[in-house]
């Protein structure tokens, strides 16, 4: 039963048993919605368990969106120029697909930079299926944070040809050099330079050659 699987997740069961519980919950799909809190708690476990919990939540689908959105909104991570891992809740929301877009759009407009990055990333990971959020991605190109702008550019690139309406804003970023983006980051690149590089990559992914840009 779902209750038995939840018990396996929240008890001191060995890792294999907890992974199996995630797999069985995923097979149940939306019928396993009672296990959403236990699956989210599994984000605190080792990497294999976190991955399986993400897949199970994606299989449950839309019913998991409110709890995952709350979890993501309460995250306390921060952006940095080193390698960083985005929130598990962002990956799970992305895996759910378009049903999560309204919640992710709210997060992509949050006052917190880290949350905006996670929200935009999750939208972009859906690829062309996220075309309904194109306006949110375009708006993010005007963000004061170059990290947010870079994430929005990556997301637009994932949309491919569906992001064609954003070409004017992307092209404008090739000439943008905000004073607050001039500080040198890793490898002696400034924020503005990395934005321009991401803009070029987005243009290539969208297919600028298809538009004679």
């Amino acid at each position: 039963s779902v209750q038995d699987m939840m018990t396996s997740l929240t008890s001191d069961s060995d890792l294999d048993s907890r992974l199996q519980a995630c797999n069985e919950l995923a097979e149940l799909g939306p019928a396993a919605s009672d296990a959403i809190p236990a699956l989210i708690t599994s984000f605190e476990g080792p990497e294999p368990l976190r991955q399986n919990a993400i897949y199970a939540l994606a299989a449950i689908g839309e019913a998991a969106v409110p709890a995952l959105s709350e979890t993501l909104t309460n995250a306390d991570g921060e952006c940095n120029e080193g390698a960083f891992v985005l929130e598990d809740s962002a990956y799970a929301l992305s895996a759910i697909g378009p049903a999560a877009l309204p919640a992710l759009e709210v997060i992509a407009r949050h006052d917190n930079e880290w949350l905006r990055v996670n929200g935009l990333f999750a939208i972009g990971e859906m690829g062309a299926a996220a075309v309904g959020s194109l306006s949110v991605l375009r708006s993010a190109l005007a963000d004061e944070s170059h990290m947010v702008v870079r994430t929005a550019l990556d997301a637009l690139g994932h949309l491919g040809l569906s992001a064609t309406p954003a070409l004017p804003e992307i092209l404008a970023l090739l000439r943008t050099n905000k004073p607050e983006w001039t500080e040198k980051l890793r490898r002696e690149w400034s924020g503005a330079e990395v934005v321009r590089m991401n803009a070029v990559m987005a243009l290539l992914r969208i297919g600028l050659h298809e538009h004679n840009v």
Side-chain angles (χ1 to χ4, degrees), residues 48-170:
L49 181 61
R50 291 165 52 201
Q51 290 292 332
N52 279 32
I54 288 171
Y55 293 138
L57 287 160
I60 291 171
E62 188 172 0
V65 170
L68 285 168
S69 300
E70 181 179 2
T71 301
L72 180 52
T73 302
N74 290 331
D76 58 0
E78 61 181 27
C79 296
N80 63 71
E81 288 302 323
F84 59 82
V85 177
L86 294 164
E87 301 292 338
D88 288 336
S89 46
Y91 288 105
L93 286 164
S94 178
I96 287 171
L101 285 174
L104 286 170
E105 288 181 4
V106 173
I107 294 168
R109 296 188 180 104
H110 199 280
D111 290 341
N112 181 280
E113 178 190 38
W114 176 243
L115 296 186
R116 296 200 300 279
V117 165
N118 275 267
L120 292 166
F121 167 83
I123 291 171
E125 284 294 289
M126 295 184 203
V131 66
S133 296
L134 181 58
S135 62
V136 174
L137 299 180
R138 293 175 72 178
S139 296
L141 296 180
D143 200 279
E144 62 184 20
S145 162
H146 61 77
M147 185 73 75
V148 171
V149 173
R150 289 153 54 185
T151 306
L153 285 166
D154 287 344
L156 287 164
H158 285 304
L159 264 64
L161 286 171
S162 299
T164 297
L167 285 176
E169 294 103 311
I170 297 173

